[in-house]
Amino acid sequence: MCGIVGAVAQRNVVPILLEGLQRLEYRGYDSAGLVVVRDGKLERVRSIGRVADLTEKCANTQGHIGIAHTRWATHGVPSERNAHPHISKNHIAVVHNGIIENYEALRTRLTAEGYEFTSDTDTEVIAHLIHSHYARGNSLLAATQASLAELVGAYAIGVIAADNPDQLICARRGSPLLLGVGIEEHFIASDVSALLPVTRKVVYLEEGDVVEVGRHSYQIFDATGKRVDRAVQISELSNESVQLGQYRHYMQKEIHEQPQALADTLESVCNSQSLVPGIFGAEAAATFADIDSILILACGTSYHAGLVARFWLEEIAGIPCNVEIASEYRYRTSVPNSKALVVVISQSGETADTLAALNHAKALGHSHTLAICNAPESALVRLCKLRMLTRAGPEIGVASTKAFTTQLAALFLLTLVFAKQRGRLTAQQEQHHLHELRHLPGAVQKVLELEPHIAKLAKQFAGKHHALFLGRGLHYPIALEGALKLKEISYIHAEAYPAGELKHGPLALVDKDMPVISVAPNDALLEKLKSNLQEVRARGGELYVFADANTHIRAADGIHIMQMPEHAGYLSPILHTIPLQLLAYYVALQKGTDVDKPRNLAKSVTVE
Ligand code: F6R
């Protein structure tokens, strides 16, 4: 959502903060700001817009300690006055990611105590609160700890004081934050990618941790205030993995990284001769033996992965499966089943709705939990008994691409493990699926070769205002995903329907201005799909069909065919996703939108 960077060093930290912000900009991008201590005073620079605008304004700013922030507005419109850092009485500066739920009560109280509010944010109460404790003679650490005890909600914060040029305090609860360890210098950041130019040595902070960060040393205190040691880890993330390289946008790069991301995610399985539950954690075998159904909770693209998985789990493993949008599940009265496995799917592992849904499920008595996630150190992974990490690498583009296909790969493995455990997978079938999985990265690579054709096709969409996506069965969620990709980055209104539903209403929308995009795999529903496509053509709708080899759908006036290189059986949804990602990308290029940072969106949605 928002991104935080901080540094205390002997050198000028402003370039480090700006570079870090640039790398975190994908997390939030409506405004940015930083503050340093200079000659005993706080010097703050803020800017609406992008980090590049802030960089221009920082030409003459320098200091040895500072904190910085990119914002995605929650409380208060995007504006310079609402941009972080927020300052209390020219003395305490704070950057914050998260939401303070009791900020109104605190604001009323602090106003009565004489504090003047200059923004509409919830963050400003933190600055004043810390100031109120600091002014009573507490150290910056003690003032921060006392303030945190009064906050309800989620936060990752960085704090500095004008009269304390050697010390930065940071803390986290519910929002990510890590410490970077350098030589005679230390850093904080929301995500390790921000710190790669300066260090790879990181300490992932735990829930409730508060840290006193100095130039030479740091001290970590846990939620109870006890001094604790946390392991220093060497991040495996390479600097190249977060650089754009030869690509024009991160989304394009990430689409092209899918063969490697899938190979990495499937590595341990593809190198072995058989499937074992252990890939989901040490306790998986015992847990799975006790399971009679599956409940999947996720949001957005991750929810679409869950919808595909339902087909696989019920058809291949014969296990009942429900899929719910996390933000709905948490607020409805559901009937818990202690024998259900709750599977939470998330790229970031930070999504507030998914985390809350998981906690809700646990509160209802669900103890069997599995996270499928791309962020190893995330709250979601830590909160689950079992885990399978997708190894997609950092996903910077706001529109999720490689995270989705690797989630699907992980969910297919889950299906096979359950099928095997339930006696529904012969040794021969197991070998067949393993063979198909080994072939998957290569098959995806071949689909990527369609890129130039799709780029050409995209030109026909640039002037459109609406689009319909059709799919059936296993591919209906892929139609949903295609529509989501198109709307979020090209701003074209797009809807997806199971093709059989068309005649029950949406067909009324079809005319020559409504492009209809159809996913047409060579499966049992193909003939039915062909009839549905005829219904569209008969109403003058322009059809764009992504068809498997051997589907015998012929190009004709008003019917454009994009032939897929092969048919991948159960893994077909993974292959069919790729051209829809490319279509959205090239339509967005045609429309000149900000592909990696579409308006109004943010990468990880850490608020409700
Ligand atoms: C769409 C997209 C979002 C996310 C959703 C969940 O391209 O990226 O719909 O899928 O916000 O995010 P995660 O997977 O991080 O929980």
Side-chain angles (χ1 to χ4, degrees):
M1 208 96 242
C2 304
I4 291 177
V5 200
V8 45
Q10 193 165 18
R11 52 180 160 160
N12 175 21
V13 297
V14 172
I16 299 171
L17 298 179
L18 289 170
E19 166 83 30
L21 284 188
Q22 193 80 59
R23 288 161 173 261
L24 290 182
E25 198 173 36
Y26 71 96
R27 298 176 66 88
Y29 40 81
D30 58 44
S31 50
L34 62 77
V35 65
V36 291
V37 176
R38 191 173 187 178
D39 302 329
K41 291 202 175 96
L42 292 175
E43 185 171 314
R44 173 173 67 176
V45 187
R46 295 184 293 177
S47 159
I48 185 154
R50 296 294 161 84
V51 175
D53 302 310
L54 180 71
T55 305
E56 268 180 33
K57 289 173 91 174
C58 285
N60 298 317
T61 310
Q62 53 174 294
H64 303 288
I65 183 167
I67 47 177
H69 190 267
T70 61
R71 178 169 187 253
W72 186 81
T74 54
H75 290 73
V77 294
S79 66
E80 199 167 310
R81 64 190 283 276
N82 285 335
H84 299 213
H86 290 286
I87 292 183
S88 179
K89 308 236 183 208
N90 294 324
H91 213 87
I92 299 287
V94 173
V95 288
H96 165 226
N97 175 15
I99 288 219
I100 303 306
E101 291 167 25
N102 58 338
Y103 88 102
E104 276 173 350
L106 289 170
R107 190 176 170 125
T108 309
R109 192 187 93 199
L110 289 160
T111 307
E113 286 174 22
Y115 284 97
E116 197 189 327
F117 282 79
T118 57
S119 78
D120 310 314
T121 66
D122 53 342
T123 304
E124 203 178 350
V125 299
I126 309 177
H128 292 318
L129 205 52
I130 295 175
H131 183 275
S132 70
H133 288 287
Y134 197 58
R136 276 179 229 136
N138 290 298
S139 67
L140 191 56
L141 172 70
T144 306
Q145 284 171 317
S147 304
L148 296 178
E150 296 187 58
L151 300 180
V152 178
Y155 54 77
I157 58 166
V159 187
I160 59 171
D163 62 347
N164 204 344
D166 297 318
Q167 200 181 59
L168 187 164
I169 307 293
C170 71
R172 70 158 292 226
R173 183 183 293 281
S175 298
L177 196 68
L178 53 86
L179 182 72
V181 181
I183 299 167
E184 302 283 289
E185 53 188 13
H186 289 106
F187 314 94
I188 62 167
S190 304
D191 137 4
V192 68
S193 61
L195 300 184
L196 288 178
V198 283
T199 189
R200 272 174 190 289
K201 289 166 89 177
V202 292
V203 178
Y204 290 99
L205 300 178
E206 303 212 346
E207 283 290 280
D209 280 355
V210 182
V211 195
E212 193 176 50
V213 190
R215 190 144 60 84
H216 306 288
S217 63
Y218 61 86
Q219 296 201 73
I220 306 178
F221 302 87
D222 70 8
T224 65
K226 197 169 99 215
R227 172 103 170 69
V228 285
D229 287 326
R230 304 259 182 252
V232 178
Q233 303 188 20
I234 308 294
S235 169
E236 285 176 11
L237 203 62
S238 70
N239 214 5
E240 297 72 57
S241 66
V242 291
Q243 312 254 291
L244 210 42
Q246 55 169 322
Y247 296 100
R248 211 165 146 187
H249 294 97
Y250 281 105
M251 183 178 177
Q252 187 191 25
K253 176 178 184 248
E254 287 155 10
I255 289 174
H256 279 271
E257 281 172 346
Q258 288 177 108
Q260 191 58 49
L262 285 162
D264 290 345
T265 301
L266 294 168
E267 189 183 8
S268 60
V269 180
C270 290
N271 288 340
S272 76
Q273 287 312 308
S274 73
L275 288 155
V276 287
I279 51 176
F280 296 96
E283 294 173 71
T287 306
F288 289 177
D290 195 33
I291 294 300
D292 71 1
S293 62
I294 291 184
L295 170 62
I296 296 179
L297 304 171
C299 303
T301 288
S302 299
Y303 168 73
H304 295 158
L307 291 178
V308 175
R310 183 177 62 186
F311 278 86
W312 286 334
L313 285 160
E314 297 213 338
E315 190 165 318
I316 304 172
I319 186 159
C321 177
N322 264 327
V323 192
E324 293 213 33
I325 292 176
S327 56
E328 288 293 306
Y329 170 76
R330 61 186 284 199
Y331 288 118
R332 82 177 182 86
T333 306
S334 54
V335 182
N337 168 12
S338 62
K339 282 184 167 294
L341 175 68
V342 176
V343 180
V344 279
I345 310 171
S346 173
Q347 188 285 127
S348 61
E350 288 176 30
T351 303
D353 285 322
T354 309
L355 281 167
L358 172 64
N359 286 327
H360 179 65
K362 284 169 117 179
L364 290 178
H366 285 285
S367 60
H368 303 313
T369 53
L370 163 68
I372 292 184
C373 187
N374 199 36
E377 295 300 326
S378 61
L380 198 76
V381 170
R382 287 180 210 196
L383 286 169
C384 285
K385 183 156 100 176
L386 306 174
R387 69 190 57 180
M388 162 110 198
L389 297 174
T390 50
R391 292 174 57 199
E395 196 180 62
I396 310 276
V398 163
S400 190
T401 51
K402 60 178 180 171
F404 178 65
T405 44
T406 51
Q407 285 166 353
L408 288 179
L411 288 161
F412 193 66
L413 292 179
L414 184 68
T415 305
L416 295 183
V417 166
F418 267 105
K420 192 170 169 182
Q421 191 166 44
R422 296 164 75 86
R424 290 175 64 110
L425 198 68
T426 63
Q428 207 183 2
Q429 285 166 328
E430 182 178 2
Q431 289 315 311
H432 167 75
H433 288 306
L434 281 172
H435 171 78
E436 296 281 291
L437 285 168
R438 285 185 198 110
H439 175 63
L440 185 63
V444 169
Q445 190 64 51
K446 270 201 227 148
V447 181
L448 287 169
E449 288 166 17
L450 294 175
E451 186 170 12
H453 306 287
I454 295 173
K456 244 192 242 162
L457 198 72
K459 293 191 179 133
Q460 302 184 31
F461 286 76
K464 303 289 183 197
H465 298 290
H466 307 276
L468 270 184
F469 283 72
L470 302 179
R472 292 201 71 133
L474 199 50
H475 294 80
Y476 166 52
I478 301 308
L480 284 169
E481 177 60 8
L484 179 61
K485 289 290 92 97
L486 188 71
K487 69 185 125 186
E488 72 184 320
I489 62 165
S490 76
Y491 315 148
I492 292 176
H493 169 226
E495 298 285 345
Y497 286 95
E501 268 297 289
L502 210 55
K503 56 189 173 298
H504 298 290
L507 199 55
L509 293 170
V510 172
D511 64 12
K512 63 178 183 14
D513 294 322
M514 174 71 87
V516 179
I517 298 119
S518 177
V519 184
N522 197 357
D523 64 12
L525 290 170
L526 179 64
E527 289 312 315
K528 302 215 177 297
L529 181 76
K530 282 183 182 169
S531 319
N532 303 141
L533 299 185
Q534 285 310 324
E535 291 161 12
V536 171
R537 198 54 212 124
R539 272 89 190 164
E542 196 87 359
L543 273 167
Y544 298 84
V545 185
F546 292 89
D548 274 348
N550 306 325
T551 44
H552 304 298
I553 302 176
R554 302 244 173 274
D557 190 26
I559 307 184
H560 311 267
I561 306 289
M562 190 61 58
Q563 201 81 52
M564 300 284 285
E566 58 187 291
H567 176 50
Y570 278 123
L571 295 174
S572 167
I574 299 181
L575 295 197
H576 272 275
T577 300
I578 314 288
L580 301 187
Q581 295 169 342
L582 286 168
L583 181 68
Y585 175 71
Y586 280 99
V587 174
L589 280 197
Q590 287 293 323
K591 297 199 68 181
T593 60
D594 193 344
V595 173
D596 284 333
K597 302 184 186 83
R599 68 186 181 201
N600 307 339
L601 301 179
K603 184 64 185 165
S604 27
V605 187
T606 53
V607 294
E608 212 186 312

